[in-house]
Amino acid sequence: MLPFSQFDRDGRLRHLITLDGLTSDQVRELLDRAQAFLRPTGETPARSRALDGVTVANIFTEPSTRTRSSFELAARRLGADVLNLEIQLSSRVKGETVLDTIYTLQSMAVDVFIVRDAEPGVGQFVAEHVHDHVSVLSAGEAHLSHPTQGLLDALTILQYKGGFRDLVVAVVGDVRHSRVARSAYQVFSALEVGELRLVAPDALMPDAGEMPGTKRFDSIEAGIAHADVVMMLRIQKERMADAAIPDPHDYHARWGLTKARLKLARPEAIVMHPGPMNREIEIASDVADGPHSVIRQQVTNGVAVRMAVLETVISNRRRRQDA
Ligand code: NCD
């Protein structure tokens, strides 16, 4: 069997499992497409028939609010039929394997599987086993990758900062367990962000050697000094042993993004957070809701980015079928 590739024979995107290996042109094309789907607040969201006749299935075995609802809205706004599998109610709890679940849904003419799983490798495994016309999009893989989140983060920065090369971007908090941070690293590397900082206590820093080219800081004050972008992360308790979970008060005191600390960043710095936020732990409420926060714009961009990815893989599939 050939080694797995998320690209088709013509080098076009078929699956989206990781941002690793995407060129800056490929990323920019997705961001451009996403931007074209955005409308001013209050206006009717963009719609198209690009996914007419296409069926999309959301298969999430980890909790999700934003990612799942935005994939669903994205697919519906492009005219797709959408199925949300309630995994607690499905046969997986009766012992059915992931593949049997996938084959069952494939027999119902599902064309795109959107997969979130706490286990590494599930998205790729599914992608290796589906029919040629079927695409698999990751909606979060263990601590490893969350490609559409990386794209929406890049789009948000582009909107507020106009580019990437001159920026100082600080990723702050539980970097070690964060798939958001890893996808951010991949997309920012492709886009050649000026300086990427990892800012975390020792226990929450990735292993040495991971994410080469970044600068590491063990204090939030030093880490966000003169930053243009401050990206806060949630403590991923579900990926830690109980004894390793930091005390929320201590964590806020040493690592929380407060108004006072934010003054250390550039005056026009933007504050990002993928959600769900733990207010008063990694981020103070008045910062989350304050003038520097672009957190709600990130959510808006999430729908547009997922529309762009869905439209891309389906139009690439049609090209293959027409060839
Ligand atoms: C993140 C996730 O699930 O990876 N949330 C999201 O998708 N917006 C981050 C998190 O859970 O902290």
Side-chain angles (χ1 to χ4, degrees), residues 63 66-67 116 139 146 149 179-180 234 236 238-239 273-276:
R66 276 149 293 271
T67 307
R116 168 173 285 194
H146 193 349
Q149 180 74 40
R179 55 191 175 207
V180 174
R234 182 177 67 88
Q236 309 269 307
E238 69 276 27
R239 302 191 211 287
H273 193 302

Side-chain angles (χ1 to χ4, degrees), residues 15-18 67 71 113-116 123 136-141 145-148 306:
H15 308 291
L16 185 62
I17 305 297
T18 175
T67 307
F71 262 118
F113 289 100
I114 315 235
V115 177
R116 168 173 285 194
V136 179
L137 309 179
S138 168
E141 173 185 0
S145 119
H146 193 349
T148 54
R306 288 166 183 129

Side-chain angles (χ1 to χ4, degrees), residues 70-130:
S70 64
F71 262 118
E72 176 168 0
L73 288 175
R76 286 190 194 281
R77 287 176 187 165
L78 296 173
D81 293 327
V82 181
L83 175 75
N84 289 307
L85 196 68
E86 297 294 342
I87 220 72
Q88 305 86 318
L89 307 177
S90 76
S91 292
R92 202 156 156 196
V93 292
K94 298 186 198 163
E96 187 170 69
T97 66
V98 187
L99 267 194
D100 281 332
T101 303
I102 297 293
Y103 290 147
T104 300
L105 295 174
Q106 198 173 246
S107 301
M108 301 179 195
V110 167
D111 305 274
V112 182
F113 289 100
I114 315 235
V115 177
R116 168 173 285 194
D117 209 283
E119 291 284 315
V122 172
Q124 176 177 328
F125 181 69
V126 171
E128 283 169 337
H129 287 85
V130 288

